[in-house]
Amino acid sequence: MFRDPASLPDPFPQTLRPLAWARPSGSLSLLRPERGLEPLLSGTEFVLSAPYRVAFRQIGEVGTREIVVPEGFVTDLASVPRLLRPWVGQIGLHLEAAVVHDYLYVQRWREGGDRVARRAFADRMMLAMMAHADYGLRWPVYFALRLLGGLAMGAKPLETILDPIPQAIRQT
């Protein structure tokens, strides 16, 4: 059964400011099902088998905020064009940042939000998380996201990306 993205809490702050920092506040738990998922892009889709939490703080704020990527979210890890994979793989120090970035890109299409500002926030979140992980290629990845990131998500139907873990997968 499809989980309506609007039924999830909006992960974006009311006011989108530059980030002071962002870091995981829990463990990332992924499942690669043998069956039950239709390939979205690369044929290597994974499902979050537990919610994934990320703490962050925006510049000018005192308190910490949290984004929770829900159990059942489908991701292809880092969406790296095949031509660039010898330098930037789908896994590495940027993996957690890529999963959160995918989730924020999906959620930016929610009603009532500025999609351009939300995309910029998602890209800055990935940069901040890559900085926390000390990923050496964070700036080239960030600039590639700013230049081409919007093209990758435009073709994916929302209902194929955010879906509960299919019952067939849970039973394996």
Side-chain angles (χ1 to χ4, degrees), residues 3 8 24 26-33 37 40 44-54 67-78 95-104 106 129 160-166 169-170:
R3 180 186 306 167
L8 297 169
S27 297
L28 179 62
S29 180
L30 294 170
L31 175 70
R32 184 173 183 206
L37 282 181
L40 299 176
T44 55
E45 280 70 33
F46 291 78
V47 178
L48 267 70
S49 58
Y52 180 61
R53 300 179 185 293
V54 175
I67 291 173
V68 180
V69 183
E71 174 185 0
F73 181 71
V74 178
T75 179
D76 64 348
L77 308 178
L95 174 63
E96 290 90 348
V99 170
V100 173
H101 186 260
D102 280 358
Y103 177 65
L104 290 174
V106 169
M129 289 186 69
T160 63
I161 299 168
L162 186 62
D163 202 357
I165 299 174
I169 295 170
R170 289 185 186 275

Side-chain angles (χ1 to χ4, degrees), residues 37-166:
L37 282 181
E38 293 296 321
L40 299 176
L41 284 178
S42 64
T44 55
E45 280 70 33
F46 291 78
V47 178
L48 267 70
S49 58
Y52 180 61
R53 300 179 185 293
V54 175
F56 70 96
R57 187 174 60 78
Q58 296 185 109
I59 291 175
E61 292 185 338
V62 178
T64 300
R65 296 177 183 262
E66 184 178 65
I67 291 173
V68 180
V69 183
E71 174 185 0
F73 181 71
V74 178
T75 179
D76 64 348
L77 308 178
S79 305
V80 180
R82 290 189 192 277
L83 182 66
L84 300 177
R85 288 186 188 166
W87 298 279
V88 179
Q90 286 185 286
I91 59 172
L93 294 174
H94 61 298
L95 174 63
E96 290 90 348
V99 170
V100 173
H101 186 260
D102 280 358
Y103 177 65
L104 290 174
Y105 259 37
V106 169
Q107 288 293 312
R108 77 186 169 117
W109 294 103
R110 295 171 67 107
E111 293 295 322
D114 178 347
R115 293 177 182 166
V116 173
R118 286 176 171 215
R119 176 179 169 225
F121 179 84
D123 293 349
R124 289 191 310 265
M125 176 64 69
M126 183 153 178
L127 178 63
M129 289 186 69
M130 289 188 297
H132 175 75
D134 200 25
Y135 183 56
L137 295 174
R138 64 183 165 266
W139 285 105
V141 168
Y142 174 75
F143 289 126
L145 284 173
R146 294 305 304 147
L147 186 63
L148 302 170
L151 299 176
M153 290 305 293
K156 292 184 180 181
L158 197 58
E159 61 273 8
T160 63
I161 299 168
L162 186 62
D163 202 357
I165 299 174

